[in-house]
Amino acid sequence: MKRAMTGIFAAALAMSATAALAQGKPALKLGGILDMSGLYADITGTGSETAAKMAVEDFGGEVLGRKVEILAADHLNKADLAASIARDMLDNQGVEMLYDVAASATALAAGEIAKARNKIVMYSGPASIRLSNEACGPYTVHYSYDTFAQANVTGLATVKSGFETWFFLTADYAFGQDLEKDTSNVVVKAGGKVLGSVKHPLNTSDFSSFLLQAQSSKAKVVGLANAGGDTINAIKQAAEFGLTRSGGQKLSPLLAFVTDIDSVGLETAQGLLLAEAFYWDLNDDTRAFSKRFMERVKRPPTAAQASVYSSVLHYLKAVKAAGTTDAAAVMKVMKETPVNDMFARNGKIRDDGRMVHDMYLFEVKKPSESKGRWDYYKLLATIPGSEAFQPLEASRCPLVKK
């Protein structure tokens, strides 16, 4: 009996020591660098932070005996601040992976910091094609959409519909420039013609002079190579100018979200063609996730926010499978494992870091077609990822073997 009790006591001590060791492990910290207060706050912001936390909760809250913590910081749409935040998170706060990194200029800046430290960064909000081309790295993943796919899906469909002459209103930074360039290439390749463009500063409140130039161009399509508040303001002011109704021109927002349509209103936005990587009402899985998200955020998730949930979950599963947080080992598992969840079906991370998945072409409903708030899209086409995204052989990423 004494020997038995001694054995039980020893086993209990061992279990207690193991538990204490697990509790003593540092938390696995994931850091979001987000627009929490600016023109992209509705697209990413607190919604992206919430999506990341939901992914952690659904995963179980810990991995490899370590509690998973979600951090978030506001970059104020300043590239130098984004780089500073990334440096602090990775050097001082023990962050192992950066998520979202909303906006292209800020992502390019923060991404260089992550690359120098061999840390994984998973982009959801930014769209610049440079992130999987010249700025790619062995541990970078461009997860949701990019300027090539947005241009390829929206631009091609618009030209095929007979709207072959274009004029661009372009946000004057990396994202806008890439979006205009990629869309122009699609338009010309499809037989269309670009009549001109004008660049506007980020976070513009008055588009009148830019819209007058677009109006005088007589182009059939005015392509909005911007996003967030800039897209919302441009659409609203274009309606006030009568570009679409009296002028007969068609607006084409090249990166728009369901939250943008809500801000603009169906009366003004009806008929717009737009490409999206995700829509809350697409199928049973998207509806189930979006219902839970809306209980917390009071609005459906954007493609960027849904992408954050998917990317964080994919990362945590890879950490568990790899048995380590080592970036090379985790990235190897992530690239070998297809993404299958409410965001993507058989998604695949390529050598250039591009996560390839289906894209969708939607038309904004008329007010009479909508059943209520957030019921805004009609699905026109599902475009396979192999057709939507830049072909790997055309990649400018130095990691891709030609």
Side-chain angles (χ1 to χ4, degrees), residues 15-278:
M15 291 175 65
S16 177
T18 301
L21 184 62
Q23 290 175 0
K25 288 184 177 180
L28 173 57
K29 298 179 181 179
L30 313 181
I33 304 178
L34 313 169
D35 182 356
M36 306 290 274
S37 55
L39 75 166
Y40 302 137
D42 287 347
I43 298 169
T44 64
T46 56
S48 285
E49 182 183 9
T50 298
K53 289 180 177 178
M54 288 175 66
V56 171
E57 292 167 12
D58 289 350
F59 185 76
E62 63 176 43
V63 64
L64 307 182
R66 299 170 65 180
K67 179 183 177 183
V68 183
E69 290 185 8
I70 294 297
L71 308 183
D74 189 352
H75 59 43
L76 303 177
N77 283 304
K78 296 179 179 179
D80 57 345
L81 180 56
S84 178
I85 291 170
R87 191 177 296 110
D88 181 59
M89 282 184 168
L90 299 175
D91 292 350
N92 304 321
Q93 298 188 51
V95 167
E96 290 286 348
M97 184 270 272
L98 299 178
Y99 68 88
D100 198 338
V101 201
S104 295
T106 46
L108 289 164
E112 289 304 310
I113 302 300
K115 277 198 292 183
R117 288 151 179 77
N118 293 321
K119 295 295 184 180
I120 291 174
V121 54
M122 303 187 76
Y123 302 115
S124 289
S128 175
I129 190 67
R130 301 181 204 184
L131 294 169
S132 56
N133 278 297
E134 297 87 352
C136 76
Y139 309 124
T140 62
V141 181
H142 203 179
Y143 208 84
S144 46
Y145 44 74
D146 59 34
T147 52
F148 185 97
Q150 296 296 134
N152 202 26
V153 175
T154 310
L156 189 59
T158 306
V159 173
K160 283 184 175 180
S161 298
F163 298 93
E164 71 279 2
T165 55
W166 284 63
F167 185 93
F168 290 94
L169 264 64
T170 303
D172 193 12
Y173 75 112
F175 154 69
Q177 294 160 12
D178 287 347
L179 191 52
E180 179 188 332
K181 178 183 176 182
D182 289 337
T183 308
S184 295
N185 290 339
V186 170
V187 167
V188 173
K189 188 176 179 180
K193 186 176 182 181
V194 176
L195 302 184
S197 68
V198 60
K199 291 180 172 58
H200 66 79
L202 188 67
N203 207 10
T204 300
S205 59
D206 184 3
F207 279 87
S208 56
S209 63
F210 310 119
L211 289 168
L212 283 172
Q213 293 181 60
Q215 197 172 41
S216 62
S217 75
K218 305 298 183 182
K220 291 183 179 180
V221 182
V222 178
L224 303 180
N226 50 26
D230 284 337
T231 297
I232 293 168
N233 286 335
I235 293 174
K236 286 182 176 179
Q237 291 176 37
E240 294 170 3
F241 270 75
L243 252 71
T244 55
R245 293 195 176 180
S246 58
Q249 292 174 295
K250 189 175 185 67
L251 283 181
S252 181
L254 299 170
L255 182 61
F257 301 85
V258 68
T259 48
D260 299 330
I261 303 305
D262 186 69
S263 295
V264 171
L266 287 185
E267 187 63 38
T268 299
Q270 60 181 303
L272 291 178
L273 293 177
L274 48 89
E276 281 263 37
F278 175 90

